Amino acid sequence: MLNILAFVETATIVSAVKIALAALALICTGFIIFIVMKQSGNSDGMEAMTGSSKSSDESETFYGKNAGSRKEARLKLLTYIAAGLLAVCCIVMIVLQTFIK
């Protein structure tokens, strides 16, 4: 009898953890979509084909030149962190799925 109660408690805890992981995975996917949409592409599109480039006065200073790269680096880092967290959530959910059916 005590063994059945232990199984029920374990199943309830595992179910709660799976729900929390699914919610976290959903939040991570939305965050990844938002961050990727904010990032600029690697290529310049038509500018790469025509050879023209955008140059403005504010990009000629040191801080103006590196401001975009700092922002892009921060967005790229956030993308890596969110993708890693999403991968860990999915792996743990798969392990829990095989643990309790």
Side-chain angles (χ1 to χ4, degrees), residues 61-101:
T61 65
F62 176 74
Y63 292 111
K65 225 187 269 189
N66 293 328
S69 64
R70 288 191 307 251
K71 180 182 172 192
E72 291 297 320
R74 187 172 45 240
L75 290 176
K76 188 181 266 190
L77 179 66
L78 286 173
T79 304
Y80 289 149
I81 290 171
L85 186 61
L86 177 64
V88 168
C89 286
C90 291
I91 290 169
V92 170
M93 284 174 39
I94 290 170
V95 169
L96 289 177
Q97 186 69 26
T98 59
F99 180 65
I100 299 277
K101 292 186 179 191

Side-chain angles (χ1 to χ4, degrees), residues 8-96:
V8 170
E9 289 178 11
T10 304
T12 306
I13 292 171
V14 169
S15 295
V17 169
K18 286 195 310 188
I19 290 171
L21 286 173
L24 185 62
L26 187 63
I27 291 169
C28 282
T29 54
F31 186 71
I32 289 172
I33 290 169
F34 176 73
I35 292 295
V36 168
M37 294 291 283
K38 278 189 71 82
Q39 291 179 8
S40 63
N42 288 339
S43 68
D44 292 330
M46 291 298 287
E47 291 175 2
M49 211 163 56
T50 60
S52 65
S53 66
K54 291 188 256 180
S55 65
S56 64
D57 294 333
E58 65 187 33
S59 67
E60 295 300 320
T61 65
F62 176 74
Y63 292 111
K65 225 187 269 189
N66 293 328
S69 64
R70 288 191 307 251
K71 180 182 172 192
E72 291 297 320
R74 187 172 45 240
L75 290 176
K76 188 181 266 190
L77 179 66
L78 286 173
T79 304
Y80 289 149
I81 290 171
L85 186 61
L86 177 64
V88 168
C89 286
C90 291
I91 290 169
V92 170
M93 284 174 39
I94 290 170
V95 169
L96 289 177

